[in-house]
Amino acid sequence: MRIGSGEGFWGPIVWALLALGVLALGIAVWLQGRRTYKKGTEQEDPFLSGEKLPEGGGGVAATHLYWGFAEALRPLLSRLVALHTGFVGDYVGWLLVVLVIAVLVVMLS
Amino acid sequence: MKRMELLERLKVSGLKRALWVYHLNTGGCNGCDIEILAALTPRYDVERFGIRLVGSPRHADVLLVTGTVTRPMYERVKRIYAQTPDPKVVIAIGGCASTSGVFYESYNVLGPVDNVIPVDVYVPGCPPRPEAIIDGVVKAVAKLERLMEGKEG
């Protein structure tokens, strides 16, 4: 089955075969990896420049990618976080406030 | 069985062309570190042999240790050695790593590297020339080959 377009074609079987091929290649490479590491020792832990791993693992989280932005915008973010109380009533209240402001802006303009 | 032997041979021959080295300074003056960098510069260019520095001991075949072991580094050296996968080879670069050098029996050091972790190759000098470091790495390759072929424990 092929669906043509101006830019090429979409063949699900071709792409599925390609994905399987890439997967097989990945598994083949993975199987060649070292298996001599000692389980349950520090060889399994992430490397932190030789430092002891902190409690909870000490991995690198995705949020660390924008750590600098979060630090720079901390005054704003801390207020925004405070507004997120988790209560539905608060959120509906904010919705109503924004709606009223929007209606007033539309009516007065 | 033959296929496995072939794979092992391929791995050993691949090792000759892709030796990954982790450099660790345990308390030196940086003289040896500069010579290691010199070995990487175009004049010596060890990367043409596949020898390259890596950022984590978990990817390394060889630990290149410079400097005598200071007290704060003791735990770190032990941990980094433990985190390097087997088979591995440790090279002590320079007089301080090999014998403590000018810091011999100093109050704030624990002695040469082999007081803390086993060392396979010693490269003396203060600092050793890049040629000597490359010679040490070549000896490390030979040792690693023997380890991978199971000829040495």
Side-chain angles (χ1 to χ4, degrees):
Chain A
M1 185 179 73
R2 281 186 179 189
I3 301 171
S5 75
E7 300 298 324
F9 73 92
W10 164 243
I13 296 166
V14 175
W15 281 102
L17 287 175
L18 190 68
L20 278 175
V22 171
L23 187 68
L25 187 67
I27 290 171
V29 171
W30 179 74
L31 283 173
Q32 294 309 307
R34 286 179 171 176
R35 296 180 188 184
T36 50
Y37 71 89
K38 293 163 188 159
K39 287 184 180 174
T41 65
E42 285 173 321
Q43 287 199 352
E44 286 188 328
D45 291 340
F47 172 61
L48 290 178
S49 299
E51 297 297 321
K52 196 175 181 184
L53 208 61
E55 293 287 327
V60 179
T63 51
H64 291 154
L65 286 172
Y66 49 87
W67 177 84
F69 288 107
E71 279 300 303
L73 299 171
R74 186 159 293 285
L76 174 67
L77 287 176
S78 58
R79 283 177 195 158
L80 288 176
V81 169
L83 292 173
H84 288 75
T85 57
F87 299 120
V88 177
D90 290 350
Y91 297 148
V92 174
W94 279 112
L95 179 67
L96 286 174
V97 168
V98 172
L99 270 177
V100 168
I101 292 169
V103 167
L104 282 174
V105 168
V106 170
M107 284 175 72
L108 294 173
S109 61
Chain B
M1 193 63 192
K2 276 185 178 175
R3 206 181 71 186
M4 292 303 286
E5 280 175 15
L6 182 69
L7 276 174
E8 285 305 313
R9 277 187 190 176
L10 275 174
K11 279 182 190 174
V12 173
S13 73
L15 179 80
K16 288 179 193 169
R17 290 165 183 80
L19 193 76
W20 287 18
V21 177
Y22 180 76
H23 171 217
L24 169 67
N25 184 333
T26 56
C29 68
N30 277 139
C32 298
D33 308 333
I34 291 167
E35 295 304 314
I36 291 169
L37 284 180
L40 291 165
T41 55
R43 185 177 176 87
Y44 297 98
D45 194 16
V46 289
E47 286 201 1
R48 69 199 148 118
F49 304 122
I51 300 167
R52 58 184 298 246
L53 287 182
V54 290
S56 166
R58 296 196 56 171
H59 304 152
D61 305 297
V62 174
L63 278 183
L64 215 61
V65 190
T66 56
T68 185
V69 183
T70 55
R71 291 182 188 281
M73 282 305 285
Y74 173 75
E75 287 283 321
R76 278 83 182 171
V77 176
K78 296 278 278 186
R79 194 169 293 119
I80 286 170
Y81 179 77
Q83 286 192 319
T84 311
D86 296 307
K88 58 193 161 197
V89 168
V90 179
I91 309 178
I93 302 283
C96 294
S98 304
T99 64
S100 272
V102 293
F103 302 105
Y104 183 69
E105 288 196 340
S106 178
Y107 70 95
N108 54 354
V109 303
L110 294 165
V113 177
D114 58 8
N115 274 9
V116 183
I117 55 172
V119 174
D120 302 287
V121 180
Y122 296 88
V123 181
C126 186
R129 287 185 59 83
E131 291 96 329
I133 296 172
I134 295 167
D135 184 53
V137 173
V138 170
K139 285 187 168 61
V141 174
K143 165 102 183 183
L144 259 179
E145 279 176 22
R146 290 200 298 275
L147 284 173
M148 288 185 87
E149 287 164 0
K151 289 179 182 169
E152 214 169 305

